[in-house]
Amino acid sequence: MTAHQCTKQDQSTVSADSELSLEPYQNDIFEQLPSAQRRLQNKEQTQEDEVHWNPNQPLKTLPLCIQEKRTLRDRKNLERHRIGYWASWKRSQEIARRRLREQMRRAVSGLLLWKTTLHNIEGKFGVGVKAYFVFLRYLLFLNFLNCAIISASVLSPSLYNRTASVHKYLSKIFRENGSVLDIFLGTGFMEHSPVFYGFYTKQTLGSECLNTALLFFFGMLTILLLNLIMIVCRMMVGYKNTWLTGITFNANMSYKVFCGWDFCIREPEAAFLKHNLIKNELKMDLDEQKFRQKVSGRSLKQWILLYTLRVVLNFVVLVLLGGSISLIYFATNYPSLSQSQSQSQSSDPSSLNLLSGYISPITITLVNFVMPHFFSAITAYEDYSLTTQLNVTLARSIVLKLGSLAIYLIFLYNKYNKAVLSCAATEFGKEMYKLTIFQLLASFCNTFLVAYPRKLLVDKCLSSHFLRRVGKQQFVIQMNVLDLVYSQTVTWVGVFYCPLLPAISICKLVAIFYISKFNLLRCCDPARKMFRTTSSSVLFYFMLLLGLIMSAINLGFNSELNKSDSKCGPFQGNKTLHEVTSKCISTLPYAAKEGIRYMTSEAFAFMIILTEIIILTSYVSRGRSNQRTMERLKDMLVMCSSDKRYLVKHHATLLRRKKTTKRTEKAAVQQ
């Protein structure tokens, strides 16, 4: 009984202590955590590196808990009574300006084009499909900017003091019996309109430095530089997100199960689709793991046979690319120049002339549509993983689309340099114009003449095993974005020879948006392969950058094409850019001449290189500091897990003590 009374007394003491001194007990536990011990050890360093709180900084942006934010709010209210009237007024004005900026930012974001439509698409099909339409809207805004630059630097100066010429052109349009086919071919009244290069002539607007030739060139140069800056900035943001989430972060199974859900989805069918996508992604990861095990178990003979098969299939891909280039070459040289000139001079071209004029765009579009399907079928036999198959197909499609356009440009250069034409640049602009128009026609025909009838057949003929096996057309996001990149590259390449091509591209992109929306909602099934937005967006903007570089190279080679253009364009009369610029510099004052001479010297180039080195050094140092911050965050995550393990261990110890106490009490009662 003595032992029993002692046990009861100890038990009552423990219960009383646990009820009366619970908070000190919790404080003791918190002080024993590994993270608390780490903070005590590094207290001096944290005091040195402490970031001072800015009273004007919003509390919601601070990475603090609710209790600390309340403490800071009370501290802010106390400081308002301590500081003077002038400092309090300045602080309140700064807060009011910040809130005004936030409200204006929200109002501007509410005015974004197709915001509600994109929200509905995101709710029904997820973020990946929305990324395609966001990319399309970005290209639309980019072309709006290009149109504004062209209107200010190309169109307005050319129309200045040309009122009589404009009236003469309009009267000529009404006198001639123009045809609707002129709009598709760029002939007739379209050939002499502001759409093409031949409309613009050399005019002096008060001085040698203010003429249409220099304004024309600097307008095109401004378009390329601004687009370059915008694309590089957008690509760097995507690259930073990809680097943070794609390289240093390993998305394991638990992350995909617990964090892979898209909470923007509202429709039950879309939720079921998202379930299937997550299941397919997990299945794809398991297949990749199984594939890695299969790769690790291959013998030397199997490796030799596999590499032999891959070499043969890559040779087949090269043969297909060579055949595509041959088709483009024959399509480019099929209509003779005499025929094309007779087409441009005839006032009523027939449908046969329309077809012959569109042989090259039809060939390029068909090649770009058919060949990626062959590439996808070939990669299935190369025994790659699913992710590698998709990346290889995308890389080959990129080479096909941009390579076919580059080869087509080379063929056009050779064709028009050998020919004797009144304005070769206008003929080149017609080809880019026809490529743009036909891509819109191809998108329309693919949706309303192929995808929609195919969908009707699949829905009506459910008993047909063949139609069920074929199914609806799939909305493959990667290939659709590649088409947009190709379209924008054509716009950049042809903007020098067809200055109003960005305006035409705006109309085309608006039409493609609604056609793609109809195709997505009514005609297509989602793609079977998972689309990762963060990993592919950088690739798409990189492709845009490649298209911009191609257009810059084209702008550098336009002087070779303009040697024969002595009767049209701003540089008519065998005037090159160097001659026009030299005349302008000769009329400038002495100080301006010396400044331009210094800017073209080696000393200025050395200063530019030194500035670039300083900027790159600052960015590298910022990158290293960010990397150190990331290491600290990773260390904090490790310490959080250590705290959890310590608490679990401590809780297990308490439970074990409780069981031991009960066992002792039971033994004492039995005694």
Side-chain angles (χ1 to χ4, degrees):
M1 291 295 295
T2 306
H4 178 62
Q5 290 177 356
C6 292
T7 306
K8 274 186 148 186
Q9 185 177 1
D10 293 339
Q11 205 171 16
S12 62
T13 305
V14 171
S15 62
D17 290 341
S18 62
E19 291 177 358
L20 296 176
S21 60
L22 181 61
E23 185 174 357
Y25 176 74
Q26 291 179 351
N27 292 332
D28 293 339
I29 291 294
F30 290 149
E31 289 177 359
Q32 295 175 9
L33 291 176
S35 58
Q37 298 294 328
R38 191 75 164 281
R39 285 195 296 268
L40 290 175
Q41 292 176 1
N42 300 332
K43 187 175 180 180
E44 297 179 357
Q45 296 180 359
T46 54
Q47 289 178 354
E48 294 178 357
D49 300 333
E50 183 181 3
V51 179
H52 296 284
W53 170 64
N54 185 11
N56 299 323
Q57 187 177 2
L59 293 178
K60 63 182 180 181
T61 60
L62 296 176
L64 301 174
C65 62
I66 298 297
Q67 186 61 38
E68 292 180 352
K69 289 184 178 180
R70 289 173 181 172
T71 305
L72 288 178
R73 184 185 61 186
D74 297 336
R75 176 183 168 187
K76 184 188 294 186
N77 294 331
L78 289 176
E79 287 186 356
R80 288 179 181 175
H81 300 287
R82 298 175 183 174
I83 60 178
Y85 175 78
W86 177 249
S88 177
W89 182 81
K90 286 199 303 183
R91 184 176 297 178
S92 63
Q93 291 299 314
E94 185 175 353
I95 294 173
R97 286 194 298 269
R98 189 192 71 239
R99 291 178 179 175
L100 179 62
R101 286 194 299 268
E102 292 178 354
Q103 292 177 359
M104 291 179 62
R105 193 180 298 113
R106 284 195 295 267
V108 171
S109 64
L111 296 176
L112 285 176
L113 190 63
W114 302 319
K115 183 178 180 181
T116 306
T117 304
L118 292 179
H119 182 69
N120 294 330
I121 291 174
E122 183 182 13
K124 292 181 179 179
F125 297 96
V127 183
V129 178
K130 179 190 173 184
Y132 165 75
F133 293 95
V134 171
F135 188 75
L136 191 149
R137 186 177 63 181
Y138 176 75
L139 294 182
L140 187 66
F141 290 154
L142 207 64
N143 284 299
F144 269 119
L145 176 63
N146 296 342
C147 281
I149 296 173
I150 289 173
S151 300
S153 62
V154 176
L155 191 60
S156 299
S158 298
L159 296 177
Y160 182 71
N161 290 333
R162 288 190 62 183
T163 308
S165 300
V166 173
H167 286 301
K168 182 179 178 181
Y169 170 69
L170 293 176
S171 62
K172 183 179 179 181
I173 292 176
F174 287 112
R175 284 198 309 268
E176 292 180 353
N177 294 324
S179 175
V180 180
L181 296 180
D182 290 337
I183 300 176
F184 294 96
L185 290 172
T187 56
F189 69 93
M190 288 288 295
E191 187 174 359
H192 305 287
S193 65
V195 176
F196 295 109
Y197 179 85
F199 174 82
Y200 303 93
T201 57
K202 186 176 184 299
Q203 295 180 12
T204 302
L205 306 175
S207 65
E208 289 292 337
C209 290
L210 192 61
N211 54 58
T212 55
L214 285 178
L215 290 175
F216 191 92
F217 179 78
F218 284 116
M220 301 301 166
L221 191 62
T222 304
I223 287 174
L224 296 180
L225 290 178
L226 284 180
N227 291 342
L228 176 65
I229 293 172
M230 294 177 66
I231 292 173
V232 168
C233 292
R234 192 79 175 234
M235 188 174 66
M236 291 306 297
V237 172
Y239 175 75
K240 181 175 65 176
N241 296 331
T242 304
W243 185 72
L244 289 175
T245 60
I247 297 177
T248 59
F249 180 76
N250 185 15
N252 52 14
M253 294 292 180
S254 61
Y255 171 78
K256 292 179 181 179
V257 171
F258 295 105
C259 304
W261 183 254
D262 191 354
F263 290 93
C264 298
I265 294 176
R266 297 175 296 175
E267 300 291 334
E269 296 179 358
F272 178 74
L273 174 65
K274 187 63 179 179
H275 277 293
N276 290 333
L277 288 177
I278 295 176
K279 180 183 69 176
N280 292 333
E281 187 175 3
L282 294 175
K283 183 180 178 181
M284 184 173 62
D285 291 338
L286 293 175
D287 290 339
E288 288 181 353
Q289 185 176 1
K290 184 178 179 181
F291 177 78
R292 286 193 292 268
Q293 293 178 357
K294 177 184 173 183
V295 169
S296 61
R298 284 175 183 167
S299 62
L300 180 60
K301 180 180 178 181
Q302 291 176 346
W303 277 112
I304 294 174
L305 293 176
L306 179 61
Y307 278 109
T308 305
L309 179 62
R310 288 178 181 177
V311 169
V312 172
L313 292 178
N314 280 291
F315 179 75
V316 173
V317 170
L318 293 177
V319 170
L320 291 176
L321 290 175
S324 303
I325 294 173
S326 302
L327 283 176
I328 295 172
Y329 174 76
F330 288 121
T332 306
N333 294 320
Y334 172 72
S336 62
L337 292 174
S338 60
Q339 289 177 351
S340 62
Q341 288 179 352
S342 64
Q343 284 181 12
S344 62
Q345 293 174 0
S346 62
S347 60
D348 189 17
S350 62
S351 59
L352 183 61
N353 290 333
L354 176 65
L355 183 61
S356 63
Y358 270 86
I359 284 181
S360 297
I362 290 173
T363 305
I364 294 175
T365 305
L366 287 178
V367 165
N368 291 333
F369 178 76
V370 174
M371 287 301 166
H373 296 284
F374 283 103
F375 294 157
S376 180
I378 288 173
T379 52
Y381 293 99
E382 290 180 327
D383 203 6
Y384 291 117
S385 63
L386 294 178
T387 306
T388 309
Q389 287 182 17
L390 182 61
N391 293 332
V392 170
T393 305
L394 278 177
R396 289 170 178 172
S397 301
I398 292 169
V399 173
L400 173 69
K401 289 180 179 292
L402 297 184
S404 62
L405 181 60
I407 295 298
Y408 182 57
L409 295 178
I410 294 173
F411 291 159
L412 287 180
Y413 280 129
N414 295 331
K415 176 180 176 180
Y416 291 133
N417 280 329
K418 294 177 182 179
V420 179
L421 298 172
S422 59
C423 190
T426 299
E427 297 296 328
F428 189 88
K430 287 180 184 179
E431 299 297 330
M432 300 297 106
Y433 173 80
K434 287 187 285 188
L435 277 177
T436 304
I437 296 296
F438 188 77
Q439 189 179 15
L440 176 61
L441 295 176
S443 178
F444 179 85
C445 294
N446 181 39
T447 300
F448 294 99
L449 299 181
V450 178
Y452 190 65
R454 180 177 173 180
K455 177 252 183 186
L456 292 178
L457 286 174
V458 172
D459 291 340
K460 298 295 182 181
C461 303
L462 296 176
S463 60
S464 176
H465 178 71
F466 175 74
L467 291 177
R468 285 202 312 270
R469 188 179 182 85
V470 172
K472 300 178 184 179
Q473 188 176 0
Q474 293 184 7
F475 190 82
V476 184
I477 304 171
Q478 296 90 331
M479 296 304 172
N480 284 279
V481 174
L482 287 179
D483 292 336
L484 291 180
V485 172
Y486 171 76
S487 171
Q488 188 61 35
T489 304
V490 171
T491 303
W492 281 328
V493 169
V495 69
F496 187 85
Y497 311 100
C498 184
L500 295 187
L501 197 58
I504 299 170
S505 296
I506 289 175
C507 301
K508 185 188 73 172
L509 289 173
V510 172
I512 286 178
F513 179 86
Y514 290 104
I515 291 172
S516 300
K517 179 185 173 183
F518 179 84
N519 190 16
L520 175 67
L521 298 176
R522 300 291 183 87
C523 307
C524 287
D525 284 336
R528 296 189 181 95
K529 294 182 180 180
M530 191 69 179
F531 173 66
R532 296 178 175 90
T533 309
T534 56
S535 61
S536 300
S537 59
V538 179
L539 178 62
F540 295 148
Y541 286 106
F542 179 72
M543 290 167 51
L544 268 182
L545 186 61
L546 290 180
L548 189 62
I549 293 173
M550 183 187 298
S551 61
I553 295 173
N554 171 64
L555 184 61
F557 276 103
N558 74 80
S559 58
E560 298 293 330
L561 186 63
N562 291 336
K563 286 182 178 179
S564 59
D565 292 344
S566 59
K567 297 180 181 179
C568 71
F571 298 96
Q572 57 183 336
N574 292 325
K575 299 292 184 182
T576 61
L577 179 64
H578 183 265
E579 294 177 1
V580 176
T581 308
S582 299
K583 282 187 178 181
C584 172
I585 294 175
S586 63
T587 59
L588 294 177
Y590 177 77
K593 290 181 182 179
E594 290 296 321
I596 294 174
R597 186 185 63 81
Y598 175 73
M599 291 176 65
T600 56
S601 63
E602 292 82 1
F604 184 75
F606 176 75
M607 294 297 296
I608 292 292
I609 294 173
L610 185 62
T611 305
E612 290 179 354
I613 291 174
I614 294 172
I615 293 173
L616 289 175
T617 304
S618 64
Y619 274 104
V620 168
S621 62
R622 286 179 59 186
R624 290 179 178 176
S625 63
N626 292 333
Q627 188 176 3
R628 286 195 297 268
T629 305
M630 290 174 62
E631 294 296 331
R632 291 178 61 185
L633 291 175
K634 291 179 181 179
D635 194 14
M636 289 174 63
L637 290 175
V638 173
M639 295 307 300
C640 287
S641 63
S642 300
D643 292 344
K644 292 176 182 178
R645 287 195 297 268
Y646 177 80
L647 291 175
V648 170
K649 183 178 179 181
H650 189 75
H651 182 67
T653 304
L654 291 178
L655 290 178
R656 196 180 300 112
R657 287 180 181 177
K658 188 176 181 180
K659 289 181 180 179
T660 305
T661 305
K662 287 184 178 181
R663 194 180 298 113
T664 305
E665 180 182 359
K666 186 176 180 180
V669 170
Q670 290 177 357
Q671 289 179 1

